[in-house]
């Protein structure tokens, strides 16, 4: 991979720029001490439902899916979700924290074309990016909702490349999600897996181009 | 749903007829005391990889996926998988136990058309069913490998109906897997969710026709 051949640095949002488990605190407050497990199930079900809707061909927006996954997670852990709790938790999802290094790293990379490319729909993605005060850093915020094809479908990455007006091999794509890295590689992006949790590489014959423990690693692409 | 309108009783295999966690013992033997967590990750990754390959459009057989998921699970739990352990565990997957009520229930339903319809490829499904001595009970063993489209894709259930020579609404489909019930319902089968673990209904707007705690419930369809 040649540094000069890369025209766009493209970032996944959830888990990569934003810490989805920063809702634990609110979950703990609402469901006494069950914040960790509810938050974990919520995220797992959110990903599973996105995959299943993609496979079944009955797309729903990531906002709807996030709401459905929340309902499932709360039930699984024997709690009740009233309307107030639902609203507070969905609101918390629009206020996730960025990981500590995010803003500094992005600021240093501003002479490249920078984009977010997410499964999130704009109704959740735009307010989230706005409240974190990093909107202006990005040239484009691309949501799969624009074509209703979730990552890791080939059609989704292809759409992102088209919107960015670059060839697949001109993209370096960053994600903390192994499945997203596999999907990006399957389409033809270069990939940097942000392996925040020190997990094994996914066994999908789709290895990342490079692995970093957090986003500071990509500063070598300046 | 009219009992007389049902022409075929169709069963998922893994988790429904066969207990995938019956490999725990072998896992415990090979990875001192980590049987429960390795077996759990193994199953979760197996399902995730099948979904991801389906979405990415790069099909691999369930046997290959099961092997890949095993490698991931063992690494995640900080263990090593040598060739001998790999062989023993994959062999254990061909010798899963049926749930206790399975044989008796199936025997009582033999005047209906009975079929297995599984994501498993024949190289793992056929020996598994054979060793459990229930092969002769079934009229058909249908694998998605024949068309390389994993459940819950519409194409997979459609293929099963075609092979069974019945209309979707003439099928009662049994699965313990919520995602499989959602997929079958999405295509148009009647569904009986075998909710062995007392889990919440999946939040996918695809509720099962009926819910039983184990397969004895379906005897009312005799």
């Amino acid at each position: 991979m040649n540094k000069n051949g890369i025209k766009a640095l493209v970032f996944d949002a959830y888990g990569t720029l934003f810490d989805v488990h920063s809702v634990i605190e609110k979950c703990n407050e609402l469901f006494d001490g069950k914040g960790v497990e509810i938050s974990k199930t919520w995220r797992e079900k959110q990903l599973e439902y996105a995959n299943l809707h993609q496979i079944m061909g009955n797309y729903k927006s990531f906002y709807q899916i996030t709401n459905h996954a929340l309902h499932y997670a709360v039930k699984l852990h024997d709690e009740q979700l009233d309307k107030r709790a639902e609203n507070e938790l969905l609101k918390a999802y629009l206020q996730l924290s960025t990981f500590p290094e995010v803003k500094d790293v992005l600021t240093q990379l501003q002479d490249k074309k920078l984009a977010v490319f997410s499964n999130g729909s704009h109704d959740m993605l735009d307010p989230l990016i706005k409240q974190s005060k990093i909107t202006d850093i990005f040239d484009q915020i691309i949501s799969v909702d624009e074509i209703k094809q979730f990552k890791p479908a080939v059609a989704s990455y292809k759409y992102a490349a088209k919107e960015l007006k670059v060839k697949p091999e001109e993209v370096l794509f960053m994600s903390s999600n192994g499945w997203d890295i596999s999907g990006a590689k399957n389409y033809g992006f270069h990939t940097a897996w942000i392996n925040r949790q020190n997990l094994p590489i996914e066994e999908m014959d789709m290895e990342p181009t490079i692995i970093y423990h957090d986003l500071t690693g990509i500063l070598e692409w300046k």
Side-chain angles (χ1 to χ4, degrees), chain A residues 17-30:
Chain A
L17 300 173
F18 298 95
D19 186 354
V20 290
H21 294 292
S22 54
V23 293
I24 292 176
E25 203 179 321
K26 180 56 77 181
C27 281
N28 260 334
E29 194 185 307
L30 291 164

Side-chain angles (χ1 to χ4, degrees), chain A residues 150-170:
Chain A
F150 281 121
K151 298 187 282 182
V154 167
S156 67
Y157 302 100
K158 194 171 179 176
Y159 174 75
K162 185 178 144 246
E163 286 298 294
L164 289 161
K165 299 185 176 62
V166 293
K167 295 177 190 157
E169 64 272 21
E170 292 170 341

